[in-house]
Amino acid sequence: RQFYFIQYSKAIMNCNEAIKLKPLSVRAHLYRGALKYHIRAYELAIKDLTQATKIDNRCSLAFFNRAVCYHDSGQHQKALTDYGIVLLLGDSLMLKVRE
């Protein structure tokens, strides 16, 4: 577990550098939010994903990932709101489900 935490921390630091270079990079905020989610830093992940939605309010992946963070942190009403936004955005998010 500690090995993975160190790897996630290094990846987060790389994202920090990317955000310093390109503060309006939706991708960098998405990646950093996803990495923080994996280390169970839900509130920090939500902050990054919220920033991604502010940069691009049509980025359904940011809303979807934030909904997952809200759900896992027990904020179910906020999760439902974000899942609803994903549905309203329509085809811009193609989710693949593996069997």
Side-chain angles (χ1 to χ4, degrees):
R1 169 105 173 117
Q2 186 177 6
F3 172 76
Y4 290 112
F5 185 80
I6 292 169
Q7 295 300 327
Y8 284 120
S9 297
K10 286 181 181 179
I12 290 169
M13 288 191 299
N14 287 337
C15 290
N16 292 343
E17 289 301 314
I19 290 169
K20 283 181 190 175
L21 295 172
K22 282 186 88 173
L24 298 179
S25 171
V26 173
R27 182 178 292 186
H29 285 92
L30 281 172
Y31 284 150
R32 191 169 73 174
L35 291 162
K36 289 178 181 178
Y37 168 81
H38 280 287
I39 62 170
R40 296 186 174 107
Y42 299 126
E43 291 305 316
L44 295 173
I46 289 167
K47 184 177 175 182
D48 282 330
L49 296 166
T50 298
Q51 185 61 32
T53 66
K54 288 178 182 176
I55 296 167
D56 181 1
N57 66 358
R58 296 201 47 81
C59 181
S60 54
L61 190 57
F63 286 104
F64 180 81
N65 286 339
R66 190 174 71 176
V68 172
C69 289
Y70 280 139
H71 176 83
D72 286 354
S73 65
Q75 300 177 65
H76 298 112
Q77 190 58 47
K78 290 181 178 181
L80 287 173
T81 299
D82 276 1
Y83 285 131
I85 292 169
V86 171
L87 291 173
L88 289 173
L89 289 172
D91 292 338
S92 61
L93 178 65
M94 296 297 202
L95 295 177
K96 293 184 180 181
V97 178
R98 295 184 183 188
E99 295 182 30

